[in-house]
Amino acid sequence: AHGAKVAIAEASALGGTCVNLGCIPKKLLMYAADFAHDFIDARGYGWTTPDSIPFSWKSLIENKNKEIARLNGIYKTVLEKPGVKILHGFAQFK
């Protein structure tokens, strides 16, 4: 925004550890785990829920991966829009 040339080196997906391997995936998986208890607890609040609710691990993982890819895309847009060059790989100052 100030006219400087800027580049970022990233060997993996944009967003860093939190988005790709840490905070975000953990939260999505924890929310999914909590729903099993929420369905049971809901009965105490007047909701009628079936005794068995199907769960698809495949679907959960696919949806988690889609959300992370969406966030990666946001980081890419935020960086590229002002002209930041994204270098795919590692870099070092010499």
Side-chain angles (χ1 to χ4, degrees):
H2 296 283
K5 289 186 177 182
V6 177
I8 184 171
E10 178 57 74
S12 188
L14 293 172
T17 299
C18 182
V19 169
N20 295 294
L21 302 169
C23 310
I24 302 301
K26 178 200 76 168
K27 285 180 182 179
L28 295 172
L29 296 174
M30 286 182 61
Y31 292 158
D34 282 343
F35 278 117
H37 299 291
D38 293 341
F39 292 135
I40 293 167
D41 291 344
R43 295 175 188 154
Y45 294 94
W47 292 91
T48 301
T49 60
D51 290 335
S52 177
I53 299 173
F55 171 77
S56 170
W57 181 259
K58 181 180 181 237
S59 178
L60 171 62
I61 297 304
E62 287 172 355
N63 289 326
K64 173 196 65 82
N65 292 342
K66 281 196 311 193
E67 177 60 12
I68 292 169
R70 184 185 75 81
L71 294 171
N72 296 147
I74 290 171
Y75 275 89
K76 184 176 185 219
T77 299
V78 165
L79 291 167
E80 288 181 339
K81 188 174 181 181
V84 174
K85 181 171 177 141
I86 299 171
L87 307 171
H88 299 283
F90 296 93
Q92 62 182 336
F93 290 102
K94 291 190 174 196

